[in-house]
Amino acid sequence: MSIERVPFVDLPRQYLSLRDELLLAVDRVCRSGAYVLGDDVKLLEERIAAFCGTKYAVGVANGADALLLSMKALGIGSGDEVITAPNSFIASAWTIHAVGATPVFADVGDDYNIDPDRVEAAITSRTRAIMPVHLTGRPAHMDELLAISVRHGLHVVEDAAQAIGARYKGRRTGSFGAAGGFSLHPLKNLHAYGDGGIITTNDADLYAKITKLRNHGLRNRDECEVWGINSRLDSIQAAVLLVKLPHLDNWNERSRAIAQRYRDKLAQHMWVPQDRPEEEPVYHRFIVQVDERSRLMKFLAENGVETRVNYPIPIHLQPIGRQMGYKGGEFPVAERQADRIMSLPLYPEMTDDEVEFVIDGVERYYRTEAPRAR
Ligand SMILES: *Cc1c(COP(=O)(O)O)cnc(C)c1O
């Protein structure tokens, strides 16, 4: 079968591969009459905690709430600073702002993850926490970051939205910090049919606080102990995720195999991510770095390969970052990467032929188009 186009994402493929089971799960929930939280959410929480190697997990409405509620439960608020990465999705920063604290950025390294030396340099008397982002599905440098957090008495809240299942020195993301926040949004490696999120933690006290905070601050049906929010996970989404979770390791394994194939073929043309021995990424994104990005993206689009840029504008250079007083030049690595990064299609449902189609498109560019540009 000849391929004409490889889309950047194709979510219905995974749905169709599990359709009968998924529909049965949805039907079971709809017939049960219990649509919010309930047994399915409880079971999902247990399974995710077991999967991540933590004592507890709490289902919430989305990944941003997972971060926000973790910080709220840790008592982070007005006057506090939280150090995070400037190259992340905007939610890493706005959730810090939403609890009343100030996001403080520290530059990243070659692997797109926050540079521990830069984190330590950014610590002030107001710093309360570090929020490393396991960006692109690659674990951040947790040994160094945890050592810094101990040295300075800081909390660590992992933004693991892109990295469910990834391992660092054998341990899963979400199991290192006081809490880990995962997104179950359709674009993430384990996803619901709508929004969803989950928090992992080993701390019984934090777990108790978060379960109240996500449900209006209620301790039970009638008694309210704290000002909370409504950030509950739907039972239908939990039921769907229970069907999918047993497949996640295989899907991530397939993603790693596709990444390896890209790496083998494309490293001669462009910067490609190389895995360090201590990490097992899950390749939420395969982000290369190239000169003349717009020419290559245009060529690939004309040749049926859809690419994207995650993310073209670092948070500190967004209008919102400039309002905080940030300027260009402050985080040179993140800024340089923002001009050079490009995401290739990578999802476990891609066929080998599609992977070769993408590689062929890139190779053709470097054979025919790139020499002409010089
Ligand atoms: C997706 C994402 C979030 C937010 O998750 P939502 O479920 O969309 O709220 C936060 N941080 C990062 C790095 C993300 O990729």
Side-chain angles (χ1 to χ4, degrees), residues 155-349:
H155 297 299
V156 171
V157 176
E158 296 169 67
D159 181 342
Q162 302 189 356
I164 192 157
R167 285 190 169 102
Y168 173 88
K169 299 194 173 171
R171 275 170 66 187
R172 305 269 197 188
T173 55
S175 68
F176 294 92
F182 293 92
S183 169
L184 305 167
H185 179 273
L187 288 177
K188 306 299 159 81
N189 288 35
L190 175 69
H191 61 259
Y193 294 109
D195 279 307
I198 205 149
I199 299 164
T200 48
T201 184
N202 283 313
D203 183 331
D205 188 45
L206 207 59
Y207 169 72
K209 280 188 181 138
I210 293 169
T211 50
K212 274 179 276 199
L213 286 173
R214 74 161 168 191
N215 190 20
H216 304 290
L218 291 169
R219 184 171 70 180
N220 52 42
R221 186 170 293 278
D222 301 314
E223 288 175 289
C224 180
E225 274 184 349
V226 286
W227 296 116
I229 64 172
N230 176 357
S231 183
R232 297 174 301 220
L233 185 62
D234 291 339
S235 316
I236 285 183
Q237 303 300 0
V240 156
L241 291 158
L242 281 166
V243 172
K244 292 184 174 201
L245 182 61
H247 298 275
L248 181 60
D249 275 334
N250 284 339
W251 289 333
N252 286 339
E253 193 59 49
R254 170 70 183 154
S255 294
R256 274 192 292 275
I258 297 171
Q260 185 58 42
R261 181 69 186 159
Y262 279 161
R263 201 156 30 228
D264 289 346
K265 301 301 283 186
L266 303 181
Q268 53 177 323
H269 299 299
M270 52 181 56
W271 185 96
V272 294
Q274 301 285 353
D275 299 355
R276 287 185 300 268
E278 71 270 25
E279 70 181 11
E280 195 177 75
V282 293
Y283 286 99
H284 167 64
R285 293 279 174 256
F286 190 83
I287 303 188
V288 301
Q289 294 174 38
V290 292
D291 301 324
E292 300 167 7
R293 172 176 71 196
S294 51
R295 277 180 62 92
L296 174 56
M297 287 181 74
K298 183 162 172 285
F299 179 87
L300 289 174
E302 286 163 3
N303 287 276
V305 177
E306 198 186 339
T307 60
R308 285 190 196 163
V309 178
N310 306 95
Y311 303 95
I313 309 172
I315 301 172
H316 70 289
L317 298 182
Q318 297 281 350
I320 208 79
R322 294 189 185 273
Q323 280 169 37
M324 293 174 70
Y326 282 105
K327 317 182 279 301
E330 287 183 77
F331 306 107
V333 180
E335 289 171 31
R336 183 168 153 71
Q337 285 172 355
D339 292 335
R340 292 169 44 82
I341 51 176
M342 186 183 97
S343 310
L344 293 175
L346 194 164
Y347 34 98
E349 298 79 20

Side-chain angles (χ1 to χ4, degrees), residues 61-67 88-92 94-95 131 133-136 159-162 181-185 187-188 195-197 284 311:
N62 54 63
D65 278 359
L67 300 172
S88 185
F89 181 59
I90 189 70
S92 313
W94 80 245
T95 53
M131 185 199 286
V133 183
H134 305 298
L135 207 66
T136 75
D159 181 342
Q162 302 189 356
F182 293 92
S183 169
L184 305 167
H185 179 273
L187 288 177
K188 306 299 159 81
D195 279 307
H284 167 64
Y311 303 95

